[in-house]
Amino acid sequence: MVPAIIIGFIVGIVGFAPLLGALALVKRTPSQGLGGSVFWLLLALVVSFVLLVVAVFIAISISKDFGLPFLFAEALGLSLTAIGFGVWRLLHNR
Protein backbone atom coordinates (compact mmCIF):
# COMPACT_ATOMS: atom_id res chain seq x y z
CA MET A 1 0.00 0.00 0.00
CA VAL A 2 2.88 2.39 0.72
CA PRO A 3 4.27 2.16 -2.83
CA ALA A 4 0.82 2.98 -4.19
CA ILE A 5 0.63 6.07 -1.97
CA ILE A 6 4.12 7.27 -2.94
CA ILE A 7 3.58 6.68 -6.66
CA GLY A 8 0.12 8.26 -6.49
CA PHE A 9 1.55 11.36 -4.84
CA ILE A 10 4.23 11.63 -7.54
CA VAL A 11 1.66 11.16 -10.30
CA GLY A 12 -0.43 13.92 -8.71
CA ILE A 13 2.55 16.27 -8.87
CA VAL A 14 3.20 15.30 -12.50
CA GLY A 15 -0.49 15.88 -13.24
CA PHE A 16 0.03 19.56 -12.54
CA ALA A 17 2.68 19.86 -15.30
CA PRO A 18 0.22 20.43 -18.19
CA LEU A 19 -1.33 23.29 -16.27
CA LEU A 20 2.07 24.89 -15.74
CA GLY A 21 2.85 24.47 -19.42
CA ALA A 22 -0.40 26.12 -20.47
CA LEU A 23 0.14 28.97 -18.06
CA ALA A 24 3.60 29.59 -19.50
CA LEU A 25 2.17 29.45 -23.03
CA VAL A 26 -0.59 31.93 -22.19
CA LYS A 27 1.85 34.34 -20.55
CA ARG A 28 4.23 34.13 -23.52
CA THR A 29 1.59 34.86 -26.17
CA PRO A 30 -0.78 37.53 -24.81
CA SER A 31 -1.90 38.50 -28.34
CA GLN A 32 -4.28 35.52 -28.47
CA GLY A 33 -6.83 37.32 -26.35
CA LEU A 34 -9.14 35.81 -23.79
CA GLY A 35 -10.46 33.08 -26.10
CA GLY A 36 -6.99 31.72 -26.84
CA SER A 37 -6.04 31.83 -23.19
CA VAL A 38 -9.15 29.97 -22.11
CA PHE A 39 -8.66 27.38 -24.86
CA TRP A 40 -5.11 26.52 -23.80
CA LEU A 41 -5.94 26.43 -20.11
CA LEU A 42 -9.01 24.22 -20.63
CA LEU A 43 -7.01 21.92 -22.93
CA ALA A 44 -4.36 21.59 -20.22
CA LEU A 45 -7.06 20.86 -17.66
CA VAL A 46 -8.46 18.06 -19.84
CA VAL A 47 -4.98 16.62 -20.47
CA SER A 48 -4.24 16.71 -16.75
CA PHE A 49 -7.54 15.02 -15.92
CA VAL A 50 -7.02 12.29 -18.54
CA LEU A 51 -3.49 11.67 -17.25
CA LEU A 52 -4.74 11.28 -13.69
CA VAL A 53 -7.67 9.03 -14.63
CA VAL A 54 -5.48 6.76 -16.77
CA ALA A 55 -3.00 6.47 -13.92
CA VAL A 56 -5.80 5.43 -11.54
CA PHE A 57 -7.04 2.81 -13.99
CA ILE A 58 -3.51 1.44 -14.34
CA ALA A 59 -3.13 1.27 -10.56
CA ILE A 60 -6.47 -0.54 -10.23
CA SER A 61 -5.53 -2.97 -12.99
CA ILE A 62 -2.30 -3.82 -11.16
CA SER A 63 -4.05 -4.45 -7.87
CA LYS A 64 -7.54 -3.54 -6.75
CA ASP A 65 -6.25 -2.91 -3.24
CA PHE A 66 -3.99 -0.12 -4.53
CA GLY A 67 -6.77 1.83 -6.25
CA LEU A 68 -8.20 3.89 -3.41
CA PRO A 69 -4.91 4.80 -1.66
CA PHE A 70 -3.44 5.68 -5.06
CA LEU A 71 -6.42 7.89 -5.89
CA PHE A 72 -6.33 9.76 -2.57
CA ALA A 73 -2.55 10.23 -2.74
CA GLU A 74 -2.86 11.45 -6.31
CA ALA A 75 -5.51 13.99 -5.36
CA LEU A 76 -3.43 15.11 -2.40
CA GLY A 77 -0.31 15.48 -4.55
CA LEU A 78 -2.17 17.53 -7.16
CA SER A 79 -3.85 19.71 -4.54
CA LEU A 80 -0.68 20.39 -2.57
CA THR A 81 1.22 21.19 -5.76
CA ALA A 82 -1.47 23.66 -6.85
CA ILE A 83 -1.59 25.27 -3.39
CA GLY A 84 2.20 25.44 -3.22
CA PHE A 85 2.38 27.01 -6.67
CA GLY A 86 -0.26 29.56 -5.75
CA VAL A 87 1.49 30.51 -2.51
CA TRP A 88 4.86 30.71 -4.29
CA ARG A 89 3.40 33.00 -6.96
CA LEU A 90 1.75 35.14 -4.32
CA LEU A 91 4.99 35.58 -2.40
CA HIS A 92 7.32 36.09 -5.38
CA ASN A 93 5.31 38.43 -7.59
CA ARG A 94 5.68 41.54 -5.50
Side-chain angles (χ1 to χ4, degrees), residues 6-72:
I6 293 170
I7 295 171
F9 192 81
I10 292 170
V11 169
I13 292 170
V14 171
F16 192 70
L19 299 170
L20 280 176
L23 185 62
L25 180 68
V26 166
K27 288 181 83 174
R28 200 173 19 178
T29 55
S31 62
Q32 293 178 353
L34 183 62
S37 299
V38 169
F39 170 76
W40 289 115
L41 291 171
L42 284 177
L43 181 65
L45 187 67
V46 169
V47 169
S48 178
F49 182 73
V50 168
L51 176 83
L52 297 175
V53 168
V54 168
V56 168
F57 281 132
I58 290 172
I60 290 172
S61 69
I62 291 173
S63 174
K64 290 184 180 180
D65 295 334
F66 287 167
L68 197 58
F70 184 88
L71 176 66
F72 286 143

